[in-house]
Amino acid sequence: MRRILITLATAVLLSLSVLASAQNVSREEIRGLDEQIQDVKKDVIGLTSELNRLEEKLLFPSNTQAAFFISLAGAASSDDFSLESVEVKLGDQVVAHHLYTYREIEALQQGGVQRIHTANVQTGTHPLVVSYFGKSKSGKEYRGSASYSVEKAVGPKFVEIQIAGTQSAIHFKDW
């Protein structure tokens, strides 16, 4: 019991000394500390970005990289059509299946492009099958599916998949 009382008394005295020293810290010192924290945050964000770029370069070398992007074609980008999901098959395997959030739909409707899949692909011809599901404002459901032959040569390959919602069509575009 005596030890506990001594420990509590010591803790109270230490906390009082910390409070007394904390009051001696000026506002300028606190402001300087905030600026240092913001600088460290900027450095961390920059390093994270560079690390992600290096990771992508390492995982997907440019001579084998194939990337697929989703966008909405003209009429599909209006508010009348809402993309719900997309499935991408490369070869015989489903390589991507995505369910869209409200924010993602909004971004696509405003002209955004989504990278749905990146892969390492050998040179040659590879079958690509894309299917989607979406709804109109009135609740009418739209589905579409299309095939495309991806011609992979040496160097990176980028394919844009344009979904023309209410027309139940999908267009492919090589970049």
Side-chain angles (χ1 to χ4, degrees):
M1 181 74 168
R2 188 173 182 181
R3 272 188 160 173
I4 294 173
L5 287 175
I6 290 172
T7 305
L8 282 175
T10 305
V12 169
L13 288 175
L14 283 175
S15 64
L16 287 175
S17 68
V18 169
L19 279 175
S21 67
Q23 291 175 347
N24 292 335
V25 176
S26 69
R27 286 182 171 240
E28 289 181 21
E29 290 173 337
I30 291 173
R31 187 173 298 145
L33 191 61
D34 284 343
E35 290 173 1
Q36 287 177 352
I37 290 171
Q38 293 303 321
D39 289 343
V40 169
K41 283 182 179 178
K42 286 179 186 173
D43 289 345
V44 168
I45 289 170
L47 288 172
T48 302
S49 168
E50 190 172 329
L51 196 64
N52 286 338
R53 193 172 46 77
L54 289 172
E55 181 183 10
E56 185 175 320
K57 247 183 172 179
L58 185 67
L59 292 175
F60 306 107
S62 63
N63 60 347
T64 61
Q65 182 184 39
F68 305 94
F69 300 87
I70 298 290
S71 68
L72 294 179
S77 61
S78 69
D79 288 340
D80 292 340
F81 178 74
S82 176
L83 184 63
E84 299 287 323
S85 67
V86 170
E87 183 177 276
V88 178
K89 287 183 183 177
L90 185 61
D92 291 333
Q93 291 185 331
V94 175
V95 293
H97 183 87
H98 190 79
L99 299 174
Y100 288 90
T101 64
Y102 178 75
R103 286 182 144 193
E104 291 170 330
I105 294 166
E106 209 173 66
L108 288 173
Q109 288 173 336
Q110 292 176 1
V113 177
Q114 174 207 10
R115 180 189 298 227
I116 194 162
H117 183 66
T118 303
N120 287 318
V121 178
Q122 295 179 351
T123 57
T125 304
H126 304 275
L128 176 71
V129 178
V130 177
S131 56
Y132 75 91
F133 174 73
K135 289 182 179 177
S136 68
K137 253 186 176 176
S138 63
K140 186 176 179 184
E141 295 180 354
Y142 292 94
R143 294 175 191 271
S145 184
S147 299
Y148 184 71
S149 185
V150 176
E151 300 288 334
K152 175 72 175 86
V154 176
K157 178 73 173 182
F158 303 104
V159 177
E160 180 179 357
I161 303 162
Q162 287 185 330
I163 295 175
T166 55
Q167 300 168 4
S168 294
I170 299 173
H171 307 287
F172 297 93
K173 185 177 173 184
D174 286 326
W175 287 353

